[in-house]
């Protein structure tokens, strides 16, 4: 029938989509915010655990002249940690004279991390990924980034005239020690070992991955743009733009012309 109600329904138009309930959108934003805070808390706990490992390790003086102070820990390393002042942590079992080749390869690898500023990039990347934890490719991106970082450091070591076969054998030996003594994350840890050995055996003297840092920045930018677009769309649904009122004549006929 005719009347104010009918006029309002016709003004809305059949093509107008219903607004998403504000409470549902706010709940989704709350879930994302809680997830981000949890990821940041987990990252902070991991950094504190690493700092505790460094504090409990004993400083040593080696003749190989590493790029940072070296500490020996009972069951940690090889690893490099520290944003402003990197520290190399090696497992004490590498002090055995029979494992001098493994020790030399481990120090060369950790020196490559320091030269490439990997510890700083890793922390910055993890902070960014905390805000993108809900993104479907964030975990894959983290794994591929870690693998690319390790392979780039291996190439950096070989570019310094380190014997190719000797370095590959050191990686395998470190993997065996990791299984036997459980020294934690280090040269031989992770499922990426096979890929690293393959890259080492196929290595040729060249600039490997020259655009690695640019690729990292581009990938993070893509994820950040996705986050921004999602937030903009969500906020736009929370605060929809009101529809313009229809202009009709007082008699209900066609709009009056000026």
């Amino acid at each position: 029938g005719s009347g104010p109600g009918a006029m309002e329904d016709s003004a809305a138009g059949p093509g107008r989509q219903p607004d998403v309930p504000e409470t549902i959108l706010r709940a989704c934003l709350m879930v994302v915010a809680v997830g981000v805070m949890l990821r940041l808390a987990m990252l902070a706990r991991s950094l504190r655990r690493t700092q505790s490992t460094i504090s409990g390790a004993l400083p040593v003086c080696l003749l190989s002249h590493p790029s940072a102070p070296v500490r020996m820990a009972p069951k940690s390393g090889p690893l490099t940690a520290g944003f402003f002042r990197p520290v190399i942590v090696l497992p004490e079992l590498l002090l055995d004279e029979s494992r001098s080749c493994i020790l030399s390869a481990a120090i060369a690898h950790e020196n490559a991390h320091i030269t490439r500023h990997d510890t700083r990039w890793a922390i910055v990347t993890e902070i960014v990924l905390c805000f993108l934890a809900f993104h479907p490719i964030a975990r894959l991106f983290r794994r591929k980034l870690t693998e690319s970082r390790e392979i780039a450091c291996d190439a950096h070591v070989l570019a310094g005239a380190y014997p190719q076969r000797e370095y590959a054998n050191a990686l395998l030996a470190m993997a065996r020690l990791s299984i036997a003594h459980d020294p934690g994350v280090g040269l031989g840890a992770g499922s990426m070992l096979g890929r690293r050995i393959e890259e080492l055996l196929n290595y040729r003297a060249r600039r490997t991955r020259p655009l690695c840092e640019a690729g990292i920045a581009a990938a993070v930018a893509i994820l950040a743009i996705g986050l921004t677009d999602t937030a903009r769309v969500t906020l736009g649904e929370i605060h929809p733009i009101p529809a313009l009122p229809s202009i009709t004549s007082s008699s209900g006929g066609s709009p009056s012309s000026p």
Side-chain angles (χ1 to χ4, degrees):
S2 60
M7 294 180 62
E8 292 178 359
D9 293 340
S10 62
R16 182 180 178 183
Q17 298 181 358
D19 296 334
V20 179
E22 182 178 346
T23 54
I24 295 179
L25 294 176
R26 291 190 180 276
C28 292
L29 289 178
M30 184 64 68
V31 170
V32 172
V34 171
V36 169
M37 289 187 292
L38 287 177
R39 293 295 303 180
L40 288 173
M42 293 172 61
L43 176 59
R45 185 177 63 179
S46 176
L47 293 176
R48 286 196 301 267
R49 187 184 303 116
T50 302
Q51 185 60 41
S52 176
T53 299
I54 295 175
S55 300
L58 299 177
V60 294
C61 181
L62 301 176
L63 299 178
S64 51
H65 302 291
S67 302
V70 177
R71 291 175 175 265
M72 289 291 181
K75 292 185 178 181
S76 297
L79 61 88
T80 300
F83 192 88
F84 296 106
R85 297 178 179 178
V87 176
I88 298 175
V89 179
L90 301 174
E92 293 179 349
L93 55 89
L94 293 185
L95 290 178
D96 193 323
E97 293 184 0
S98 62
R99 295 164 180 160
S100 58
C101 292
I102 305 177
L103 176 62
S104 177
I107 293 177
H109 183 89
E110 300 308 321
N111 280 340
H113 279 302
I114 295 173
T115 302
R116 289 168 36 85
H117 306 285
D118 282 341
T119 55
R120 298 175 185 176
W121 280 109
I123 294 175
V124 172
T125 303
E126 286 299 325
I127 293 175
V128 173
L129 289 178
C130 286
F131 293 90
L132 304 171
F134 61 90
H135 201 285
I137 67 172
R139 181 173 297 182
L140 175 63
F141 174 72
R142 178 186 288 106
R143 184 170 65 250
K144 291 298 183 181
L145 178 60
T146 301
E147 180 182 278
S148 177
R149 185 186 301 126
E150 296 300 320
I151 292 176
C153 285
D154 293 339
H156 188 279
V157 172
L158 297 185
Y162 202 101
Q164 185 174 358
R165 291 282 178 177
E166 182 179 334
Y167 185 75
N169 290 333
L171 283 182
L172 293 174
M174 189 67 234
R176 299 189 190 99
L177 291 176
S178 299
I179 296 174
H181 300 274
D182 190 23
V185 178
L187 281 173
S191 59
M192 71 184 72
L193 178 62
R195 171 75 187 281
R196 292 176 63 187
I197 296 297
E198 180 182 357
E199 291 284 338
L200 285 173
L201 297 179
N202 296 327
Y203 173 80
R204 296 293 182 272
R206 65 184 186 277
R207 280 189 69 189
T208 56
R209 308 181 184 275
L211 299 179
C212 181
E213 285 76 9
I216 294 172
V220 172
I222 292 173
L223 295 179
I225 291 173
L227 174 64
T228 303
D229 290 343
T230 302
R232 185 171 62 249
V233 171
T234 303
L235 293 176
E237 291 177 344
I238 292 179
H239 304 288
I241 300 175
L244 294 175
S246 60
I247 303 176
T248 57
S249 62
S250 58
S251 59
S254 59
S256 59
S257 58

